[in-house]
Amino acid sequence: MTLSFRTGLTLALTLCLLSPALSQERVVLWDFETGIEGWWGNPWSGGKATVEATEGKFGRGLKGIWQDVPQQGNVVSPFLPEDAAWRQRQWPIISFWLKGDGSQTSVTLSVMRREEDGKELGYSRALPLDSTEWRRFSLDMRTFWNRESVPFSSVGLG
């Protein structure tokens, strides 16, 4: 699984999965306190997209920076471990803190998964950047948009 964010953002501290029973069991996908190695910027059609570690209210986070990008760009995560135990459990919720730039634009969180036959499916959800305050998002993955209209399932996520 990779995570991709489009347009500008600051993402805080940890990116977590929550268990289906919402018992608050958390599986940390990325703790930015340990750094941002492997994250990278991907500008579309020119310009520059970079990522950097940033300090904030919740500790260390990740900041995406776009310069002279005429369309959009991504901040892309490293691939997460293929043999991780969390891939064999259901987890419909992804949770994180996000601080926008105060603009009327949005950021899109995209999660890619690979089916048993090798086909890659993408799931995405737009989030507002209209607040410069930190906001916690706990998003139900079953509400993410999918081009193929395939319902999200996290078991065996690849």
Side-chain angles (χ1 to χ4, degrees), residues 9-151:
L9 70 111
T10 303
L11 190 65
L13 198 52
T14 56
L15 189 58
C16 300
L17 299 175
L18 300 180
S19 70
L22 298 180
S23 63
Q24 300 306 307
E25 176 188 0
R26 296 177 192 273
V27 176
V28 176
L29 293 179
W30 198 272
D31 182 348
F32 296 104
E33 292 293 334
T34 61
I36 62 168
E37 184 177 344
W39 289 80
W40 54 282
N42 178 29
W44 302 359
S45 67
K48 185 176 179 181
T50 58
V51 296
E52 63 183 42
T54 185
E55 297 293 329
K57 179 178 179 179
F58 301 101
R60 182 171 284 179
L62 174 89
K63 183 175 185 176
I65 302 166
W66 283 259
Q67 298 171 324
D68 303 319
V69 177
Q71 292 182 8
Q72 294 182 352
N74 292 11
V75 169
V76 182
S77 75
F79 285 98
L80 300 174
E82 293 288 331
D83 60 350
W86 57 263
R87 292 183 185 273
Q88 300 308 315
R89 298 189 321 208
Q90 282 289 349
W91 51 265
I93 307 294
I94 189 167
S95 178
F96 54 92
W97 289 87
L98 178 69
K99 179 179 179 181
D101 60 6
S103 69
Q104 294 303 307
T105 60
S106 63
V107 62
T108 301
L109 169 62
S110 299
V111 176
M112 304 302 293
R113 65 163 284 135
R114 195 169 301 112
E115 297 287 287
E116 287 182 18
D117 64 3
K119 181 179 180 181
E120 193 171 81
L121 296 174
Y123 296 84
S124 60
R125 172 96 178 257
L127 303 164
L129 292 176
D130 58 348
S131 175
T132 58
E133 300 294 320
W134 285 104
R135 292 189 281 187
R136 181 173 182 188
F137 288 87
S138 291
L139 305 174
D140 186 332
M141 290 297 302
R142 296 165 296 189
T143 66
F144 279 46
W145 181 81
N146 172 264
R147 176 168 288 153
E148 294 83 5
S149 299
V150 175

